Amino acid sequence: MKSTAAFVIVILSSFSAPRCGATIYNSDGSAANVQALTNIATDGDTITLPAGTFVWTTGSTITKGITLQGAGSDLTVIERSGTAPLIQIQGLPSDLPVRVTGIRFNAHVGQNGDLTSIYVTGPSGGTWGLTQIRIDNCYFYGGQRNIVFLHRASGVVDHCTFQDVAIATEVYGDDDYAWARAGAPQFGTADTTVFFEDNYFIADGAITYFDTLGDTFTGGRFTWRHNTFDLSAFSAWNFGSLITAHGNQAYWTGINDWNRGGIMCEFYENNVIVSSAYRLLWFRGGRNLVANNTFSGIISAFVHFSEEEPSSILPLRIGGWNAEDQVNNTFVWANTVNGQPQTDSMVRCWDTASDTFIQLGRDYWLVRPSSNTVTNYPQPGLPSLPGYPSPYSSPVTSWMPYTYPHPLTGSGPGPTPTPTATPSPTATPPPCVATVPNFVGARMRTAATLWEQAGFSPANITITGGPGRRITWQSLPAGSLADCATATITVGP
């Protein structure tokens, strides 16, 4: 059986376009068949999974720039049987777009060992990383470390539901390489940052404990925005923290350490509902920003800080401020708790040993970044090595949120493929038929080139507006089918 051929494009900074007439392969939903089709697919192709419930005892590995698309997270269900990751994205030869969408992943509920649904591995070090990973409109029930990003890998997780999960995500950087690239990391950028936006997290009586829903470590960076966390039915006080950022777990040794701290966390414009909690966000290292969130419930503190070198990393640091990879240039402002503005007492150190290292007005502020939020960090003393690469030399004096929605999401969820009774690969696609891409956000000067690369005739492309402006509209809506040779296209600012 043949299916109508189309291509789907994901927009990002490079605006690379798959070829016109990319192939849709319809799988039977089994892991073996998905893997077989992945092996013959090429960049820009789509592999679909039909409606139904499928038990996977093994996983599937994606090494190409393709889309894996279910019939919808309420229709396509993968039941786990085993402990290995279900989908691994790894070994890509370059920064290709990869998308996983429209699938429900079911696993055992509880924090009893890793049960990862999607594991993304980018290169370690080098001159490039994966920046075009999109995981969207999926449902994750149970499991632990459901989504893992490792090394130089980033993108966006959007419009997903996480129910009764233990550690929904872990974001690891590539250690010293990540810190060297970051230098003095700034907020509001997409470079090597994993974005979690417009997701829904719910925990109820089915899960009794979890450490956290998100953690970053070894040079990882993540941003949380426009999410809803509903823990109103979850056991009171019974989780470590909603989101955490690790600090270093040992002193820098002058080689590619595996245990550097997380670099950055942004948490803004989220809605958090809990029954009772002694803390919600726990930062043990790096730069962090918490702004314009709504918190509800019995909450002792919504932000805690810790520095572990004076209490748990041997030899204990006894010389005082500052420490390696410690909390620095951190900002917490404009949040509400139960409808009231945040108070100073709800943002503080978790333990007294950290008080010397993390102080209000030096390492963190309860206001927006400005020219008044400047600290010059000295080189850490013993037991740090003299060559420790201090990353705190450039203060943060402003903040602008990164583009929302994330450019990788385009105009929203893509079309859901029609389930097929007898799936089979597409053999010969009709010529010059394409799904219209979304180029909103691109510069006007590159618009004609982008549409031509997408396969549309240059004679039918009209550009309005100056070359330095960005596209804000296009006459053909994204997701519709069009003939590459005859479609008339107009874009403007």
Side-chain angles (χ1 to χ4, degrees), residues 92 184 203 250 325 330 339:
L92 275 73
D325 299 359
T330 289

Side-chain angles (χ1 to χ4, degrees), residues 105-146:
F105 300 89
N106 286 347
H108 174 76
V109 173
Q111 189 164 313
N112 300 299
D114 289 356
L115 297 175
T116 300
S117 295
I118 303 174
Y119 202 115
V120 184
T121 305
S124 180
T127 58
W128 63 277
L130 301 179
T131 66
Q132 306 186 58
I133 307 300
R134 184 185 181 195
I135 301 168
D136 66 281
N137 293 280
C138 291
Y139 200 115
F140 300 88
Y141 179 76
Q144 179 173 325
R145 289 190 174 89
N146 303 73

Side-chain angles (χ1 to χ4, degrees), residues 3 34 44 89 94 102 123 129 135 168 187 246 268 282 284 317 331 339 347 442 455 475 482:
S3 64
V34 168
I89 302 170
S94 60
I135 301 168
F187 298 114
H246 263 85
Y268 59 89
W282 189 18
R284 288 171 277 177
R317 180 177 293 279
F331 303 89
V347 183
S475 58

Side-chain angles (χ1 to χ4, degrees), residues 324-347:
E324 296 183 10
D325 299 359
Q326 76 156 70
V327 169
N328 70 95
N329 294 289
T330 289
F331 303 89
V332 184
W333 84 96
N335 302 283
T336 64
V337 180
N338 296 317
Q340 300 299 313
Q342 68 179 61
T343 60
D344 294 3
S345 64
M346 302 192 77
V347 183

Side-chain angles (χ1 to χ4, degrees), residues 284-305:
R284 288 171 277 177
R287 295 185 170 188
N288 308 283
L289 184 149
V290 182
N292 301 314
N293 299 287
T294 300
F295 300 98
S296 303
I298 301 173
I299 301 169
S300 175
F302 69 90
V303 175
H304 270 152
F305 304 115

Side-chain angles (χ1 to χ4, degrees), residues 307-325:
E307 174 50 54
E308 293 163 304
E309 288 182 8
S311 59
S312 59
I313 297 178
L314 298 176
L316 298 181
R317 180 177 293 279
I318 59 176
W321 181 78
N322 64 324
E324 296 183 10
D325 299 359

